[in-house]
Amino acid sequence: IMQIIDHGGARIAALHDKKTGSWQYVVSDPVSRKCAIIDPVWDFDEKAAATSTRNADAILDYVKAEGLTVEWLLDTHPHADHFSAAPYLNEKLEAPTAIGEKVVGVQRLWKDIYGLDDDFPTDGRQWDRLFQAGDTFAVGDLQGRVIFSPGHTLASITYVIGGNAFVHDTLMMPYAGTSRADFPGGDSKALYRSIQDILALPEETGVFVGHDYGPDGREPACFSTVREQKADNIHVGGGRGEADFVRLRDGRDATLPLPNLMLYALQVNIRGGVLPPPAEDGRIYFKIPANHFAPPQENS
């Protein structure tokens, strides 16, 4: 699925990956024809432990067909449900990669979980730019800025480009609520407060989410506005308070299984979207911690 949405001074191409329910975005300035790519997916077949570039190649095809110049390859956080395709696109496009500076905390956390060697770098050098909260950048004539949005992960950020906020795993579509906050480093109170920062943006601001799974036979959707989120989001709309949200979010999270690709994906994404280094035999191996995570509780 690809949707084209013109909003907030930008043209947004939204590409949906059915397997992971992920939305990927190409945000372009219609005047300069410059763009940023946000949260691109590198495909992975866990049964064969094999990567492919179907999603990233679809992005490249769109960029070429539209005659766009890519200025940024942006990730909102180290993803738990897919590999980042930013390094692959960097090879093709030579555009800089970026993520929030708090990624170093995620690197340290998962370095310990995976038992990685002491020489694994946890200073964020895998990206070209580490954004701080409040940093600004440009996409052609569109102004971009960074909002620190922890909760889903301790490193999550929101990109505001023109009149649009790319929130990934904070808010979902109003009928789906919010994202989980139970991964290592996650925190439901922090998530609530991050969402309040997003909802404080002008009401006409476009809200572009990171996931939609097409519940109840719906077509997957990606776009709403701050006004619609404040009014209709089933988890935080209508002025729901923090304590009530935390009870709801923590209770729901206790019933959720881990994402299918999480234990594969994090060891790739803390490397900026690069596979682990080859072993002495030249092969690449994934490292999976056994019995580290408890299964979800049953619904009571």
Side-chain angles (χ1 to χ4, degrees):
I1 298 173
M2 179 188 290
Q3 299 180 12
I4 305 295
I5 299 168
D6 293 300
H7 188 270
R11 167 158 286 191
I12 297 99
L15 296 89
H16 189 258
D17 174 46
K18 182 177 180 180
K19 178 177 179 179
T20 63
S22 299
W23 285 106
Q24 312 154 83
Y25 297 105
V26 181
V27 187
S28 60
D29 169 22
V31 177
S32 68
R33 312 295 292 168
K34 295 181 179 179
C35 72
I37 296 170
I38 301 177
D39 289 325
V41 172
W42 186 17
D43 303 271
F44 181 67
D45 178 351
E46 66 272 27
K47 292 181 179 179
T51 58
S52 61
T53 57
R54 176 182 56 86
N55 272 286
D57 289 337
I59 292 173
L60 290 172
D61 289 345
Y62 173 79
V63 167
K64 181 178 179 180
E66 295 296 311
L68 301 176
T69 300
V70 179
E71 294 201 299
W72 290 102
L73 299 167
L74 306 175
D75 272 310
T76 52
H77 66 289
H79 306 278
D81 65 333
H82 69 262
F83 297 3
S84 171
Y88 172 75
L89 293 173
N90 173 266
E91 290 180 6
K92 301 292 184 182
L93 301 166
E94 297 183 350
T97 61
I99 200 167
E101 66 170 348
K102 299 295 185 182
V103 72
V104 298
V106 178
Q107 289 181 313
R108 294 178 190 128
L109 184 65
W110 284 90
K111 176 180 181 177
D112 177 68
I113 291 172
Y114 287 119
L116 300 181
D117 292 339
D118 290 342
D119 61 359
F120 175 77
T122 58
D123 57 4
R125 69 181 68 175
Q126 296 88 347
W127 292 268
D128 295 311
R129 172 104 180 246
L130 297 181
F131 284 122
Q132 299 179 7
D135 275 357
T136 60
F137 59 97
V139 180
D141 294 329
L142 296 172
Q143 292 303 304
R145 65 186 177 95
V146 173
I147 300 175
F148 185 37
S149 302
H152 174 68
T153 75
L154 56 83
S156 299
I157 60 175
T158 293
Y159 294 106
V160 179
I161 302 175
N164 304 290
F166 297 85
V167 302
H168 212 274
D169 288 327
T170 51
L171 292 163
M172 290 192 171
M173 292 299 292
Y175 53 73
T178 62
S179 293
R180 63 195 295 173
D182 62 325
F183 295 157
D187 182 278
S188 56
K189 290 182 181 179
L191 178 62
Y192 180 84
R193 294 166 189 173
S194 294
I195 290 170
Q196 300 313 303
D197 290 341
I198 294 167
L199 297 182
L201 294 169
E203 290 200 333
E204 65 274 14
T205 301
V207 176
F208 288 87
V209 301
H211 291 104
D212 195 51
Y213 305 100
D216 303 319
R218 299 172 183 262
E219 280 292 305
C222 64
F223 171 74
S224 60
T225 63
V226 166
R227 179 182 295 108
E228 291 166 337
Q229 290 282 353
K230 288 168 69 174
D232 300 329
N233 186 285
I234 62 171
H235 290 171
V236 294
R240 185 189 295 272
E242 179 179 301
D244 192 17
F245 171 80
V246 168
R247 282 192 296 271
L248 183 154
R249 185 69 266 168
D250 289 350
R252 175 164 172 73
D253 288 350
T255 71
L256 298 176
L258 294 181
N260 290 339
L261 301 185
M262 176 172 162
L263 296 180
Y264 291 101
L266 264 301
Q267 63 193 284
V268 172
N269 292 333
I270 62 172
R271 293 179 166 94
V274 175
L275 293 175
E280 291 183 3
D281 62 6
R283 295 174 179 161
I284 293 172
Y285 295 93
F286 291 100
K287 189 174 185 180
I288 304 296
N291 296 322
H292 184 80
F293 294 95
Q297 301 173 20
E298 295 295 330
N299 283 309
S300 56

